[in-house]
Amino acid sequence: MFEINLGIYNEMLRYEKDMGKLRALALWITDYDEQRIMPGLLNPREYVFTLIKHYSEKFAEDILEYGRIDAGTIDLFYGSLFSINRLLGITDEDIGRASEMQRYRNSGFWEMRRVIGQFGDVAEEVVRDGIEHIITAAVSGCVIGEYLGKVIAKKHQKSIEVDHMVFSRQGIDPLKEYLSESLRLRGNHL
């Protein structure tokens, strides 16, 4: 089993604010007024879903490969988020608000790291049960779902689709879910 050690705890402290930036993007999706024109972005909501998917997937790949998120991935992440946050008008206050609104503050994805060794068992159950598509909930769940998909692909040579759902909230309580317009359900067992 992969236990929380001082290095992982320090990583959690270092990157939790960055996860807050992804959470702010997810919150932006729920607040976006579709009548608002964004120069340079044909479909801003879909672009933001694409960013969340890309970085969730990349974080999961790095953790599977290296046991941590690679410094190069973080550099790309910073550059992308700096640019998109400016374009979308996401401020440090928005990032703070998104972090405050998460269900379990200071846990989420990083808390998963203490039980990462159990993902092999979960992957076996997913394959055995014939699950064909994983849809995650919220940003911490996005990285967890992508990680599970990578474990299944590596251990069982089975491809599984992973997509993401974000929520508008009242306080920390989810009110409405949002899925990407490009989502196409794969199979009947989610």
Side-chain angles (χ1 to χ4, degrees):
M1 178 177 272
F2 191 51
E3 294 293 332
I4 288 285
N5 63 33
L6 189 57
I8 291 172
Y9 182 73
N10 287 336
E11 182 183 28
M12 175 184 74
L13 294 177
R14 211 172 28 247
Y15 299 136
E16 188 58 32
K17 183 168 171 126
D18 298 325
M19 292 301 288
K21 291 177 183 174
L22 276 178
R23 289 184 188 101
L25 283 175
L27 188 58
W28 182 90
I29 287 172
T30 68
D31 291 337
Y32 174 61
D33 174 6
E34 293 184 24
Q35 303 304 315
R36 183 175 167 212
I37 303 214
M38 306 283 310
L41 290 177
L42 185 59
N43 189 334
R45 185 177 278 152
E46 286 305 298
Y47 181 75
V48 172
F49 265 115
T50 301
L51 275 177
I52 291 170
K53 168 84 172 162
H54 174 76
Y55 282 105
S56 296
E57 205 171 46
K58 187 62 180 131
F59 288 176
E61 287 170 2
D62 283 3
I63 292 166
L64 188 61
E65 176 86 15
Y66 311 116
R68 62 177 168 69
I69 300 170
D70 185 67
T73 300
I74 291 298
D75 289 344
L76 290 172
F77 178 73
Y78 285 157
S80 293
L81 290 192
F82 177 79
S83 299
I84 195 66
N85 283 354
R86 288 196 59 185
L87 181 65
L88 300 177
I90 295 173
T91 65
D92 286 340
E93 290 78 27
D94 296 326
I95 294 167
R97 183 170 64 102
S99 292
E100 292 289 323
M101 291 175 72
Q102 67 177 314
R103 186 60 140 161
Y104 300 103
R105 288 187 54 214
N106 297 322
S107 60
F109 167 69
W110 302 106
E111 199 60 26
M112 179 275 298
R113 296 290 295 275
R114 36 185 197 103
V115 292
I116 209 164
Q118 297 172 9
F119 271 64
D121 296 340
V122 173
E124 285 180 24
E125 285 180 40
V126 166
V127 171
R128 183 184 64 237
D129 292 346
I131 294 174
E132 301 165 275
H133 200 144
I134 296 172
I135 299 178
T136 68
V139 173
S140 297
C142 296
V143 181
I144 293 167
E146 293 291 350
Y147 183 85
L148 181 57
K150 303 292 177 207
V151 170
I152 291 167
K154 184 175 184 175
K155 238 182 131 175
H156 300 280
Q157 291 76 46
K158 178 177 172 28
S159 174
I160 191 161
E161 195 70 31
V162 180
D163 282 295
H164 309 293
M165 174 183 358
V166 297
F167 300 98
S168 60
R169 297 178 182 271
Q170 182 171 357
I172 61 172
D173 295 324
L175 293 177
K176 181 180 178 190
E177 69 281 347
Y178 292 82
L179 296 163
S180 170
E181 292 172 13
S182 63
L183 177 99
R184 300 294 173 261
L185 293 179
R186 180 174 165 189
N188 294 319
H189 201 165
L190 304 179

